[in-house]
């Protein structure tokens, strides 16, 4: 049996999910954050656990039967490390997840828990290069986290490398997309189970945006930054080479390219996010038969 931590922020307008704005208002972004957190709690409640704890920034009620621990520390890495050490139970592995993956199912979370008990550590990569879950039997291993640069395209790979310096070899869980931008919210909503409330909230708030409302504007985009700049986060791996750039360890399997050059590799089935050409799917080579939603095509047919 394990304990489960949910790392969360109180859904206060202007302080949570700010990358959803625009096209969301701060109040709408807070609504989406609150619904995502509620769905996460509901999923965790379906998984056997010794204890369920919300590690919270701010003030917000938690479900009945849950513990609440305040986040502490400077920077996300330190806060994550303290989350593990402040809640440690002797002999009980700890699985920490965030509030940004409401598509998480009880089956996947149960599989993560079983892998943690079996192997002693798990890591769930996120499509943006970060991670959505970290499980540790030895919570002292979390002391490496303050030295890991957080919220970067290399956070997941850096976390993996840092844990390995302590002899921890995490079992890799299936990758998930977390909710940072409006494009993320739309895709995550489509992947949610029928019991989730997040899709309904997304339809109410973002459906007009996706259809091209005045708030969105013609030719505007969900996520800022040009497609052809920044590092490549992965891509579909064929042997040792990822589509669109380098593969990050064994980690880039079925991951997506975000914010990196499309034309740097064959681009087979690569999906681009993070600028003009959000959700463009590239097939057959650089820019060939690319289909773009929300931005220009360079060197390809729309």
């Amino acid at each position: 049996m394990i304990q489960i931590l949910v790392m969360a922020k109180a859904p206060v307008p202007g302080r949570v999910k700010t990358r959803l704005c625009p096209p969301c208002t701060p109040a709408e972004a807070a609504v989406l954050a609150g619904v995502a957190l509620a769905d996460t709690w509901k999923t965790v409640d379906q998984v056997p656990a010794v204890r369920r704890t919300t590690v919270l920034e701010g003030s917000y009620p938690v479900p009945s039967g849950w513990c609440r621990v305040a986040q502490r520390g400077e920077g996300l890495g330190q806060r994550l490390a303290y989350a593990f050490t402040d809640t440690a139970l002797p002999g009980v592995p700890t699985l920490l997840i965030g509030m940004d993956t409401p598509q998480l199912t009880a089956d996947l979370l149960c599989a993560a828990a079983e892998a943690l008990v079996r192997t002693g550590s798990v890591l769930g990569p996120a499509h943006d290069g970060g991670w959505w879950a970290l499980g540790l039997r030895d919570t002292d291993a979390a002391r490496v986290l303050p030295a890991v640069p957080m919220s970067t395209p290399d956070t997941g790979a850096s976390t993996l490398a840092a844990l390995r310096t302590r002899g921890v070899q995490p079992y890799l869980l299936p990758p998930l997309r977390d909710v940072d931008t409006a494009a993320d919210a739309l895709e995550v909503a489509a992947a949610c189970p029928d019991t989730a409330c997040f899709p309904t909230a997304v339809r109410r708030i973002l459906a007009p945006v996706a259809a091209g409302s005045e708030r969105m504007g013609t030719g505007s985009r969900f996520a800022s930054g040009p497609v052809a700049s920044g590092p490549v986060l992965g891509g579909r791996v064929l042997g040792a080479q990822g589509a669109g750039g380098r593969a990050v360890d064994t980690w880039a399997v079925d991951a997506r390219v975000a914010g990196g050059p499309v034309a740097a590799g064959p681009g087979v089935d690569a999906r681009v996010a993070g600028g003009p050409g959000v959700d463009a799917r590239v097939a057959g080579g650089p820019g060939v038969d690319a289909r773009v939603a929300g931005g220009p095509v360079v060197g390809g047919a729309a």
Side-chain angles (χ1 to χ4, degrees):
M1 192 85 65
I2 67 165
Q3 70 162 335
I4 302 176
L5 310 181
V6 175
M7 198 79 173
K9 278 186 177 182
V12 176
R15 300 189 64 182
V16 66
K17 290 293 155 210
T18 56
R19 288 179 61 191
L20 289 172
C21 308
C24 292
T25 66
E28 289 170 338
V31 168
L32 292 179
V35 174
L37 178 56
D39 280 344
T40 302
W41 280 333
K42 184 165 57 178
T43 298
V44 173
D45 273 334
Q46 299 174 59
V47 178
V50 172
R51 187 172 68 188
R52 301 174 183 86
T53 300
T54 300
V55 185
L56 187 65
E57 177 185 329
S59 178
Y60 196 66
V62 301
S64 176
W66 281 65
C67 298
R68 178 172 52 196
V69 172
Q71 292 185 23
R72 66 186 183 99
E74 297 297 326
L76 179 56
Q78 196 173 87
R79 287 171 177 253
L80 290 166
Y82 279 131
F84 278 97
T85 57
D86 288 351
T87 62
L89 294 173
V92 179
T94 299
L95 179 62
L96 181 147
I97 63 174
M99 59 183 283
D100 301 333
T101 50
Q103 76 274 38
L104 179 62
T105 64
D107 285 345
L108 178 53
L109 199 55
C110 282
E114 291 168 1
L116 174 57
V117 171
R118 184 177 70 252
T119 67
S121 60
V122 297
L123 187 64
H127 286 302
D128 63 2
W131 48 266
W132 63 268
L134 175 60
L136 297 170
R137 179 183 294 146
D138 176 13
T139 55
D140 280 346
R143 297 183 189 277
V144 304
L145 295 175
V148 174
M150 294 290 164
S151 303
T152 77
D154 296 319
T155 293
S158 297
T159 302
L160 189 62
L163 289 169
R164 285 174 173 171
T165 65
R166 293 185 61 104
V168 178
Q169 300 285 343
Y171 175 87
L172 295 183
L173 303 172
L176 292 179
R177 185 170 185 171
D178 52 12
V179 177
D180 289 319
T181 67
D184 294 330
L186 290 165
E187 184 161 331
V188 166
C192 283
D194 293 341
T195 55
C197 297
F198 188 73
T200 301
V202 167
R203 282 194 297 270
R204 179 171 59 84
I205 293 171
L206 285 177
V209 175
S213 69
E214 290 184 1
R215 270 197 300 168
M216 189 65 180
T218 303
S220 60
R221 55 185 181 256
F222 288 120
S224 61
V227 171
S229 68
V232 175
L233 302 186
R236 188 177 298 277
V237 176
L238 302 175
Q241 183 171 354
R246 63 182 176 86
V248 182
D249 199 45
T250 55
W251 163 274
V253 177
D254 294 333
R256 291 172 183 151
V257 179
V262 177
V268 178
D269 291 334
R271 184 180 290 262
V272 178
V278 172
D279 288 336
R281 187 179 292 276
V282 179
V288 178
D289 296 330
R291 290 177 294 157
V292 174
V297 179
V298 179

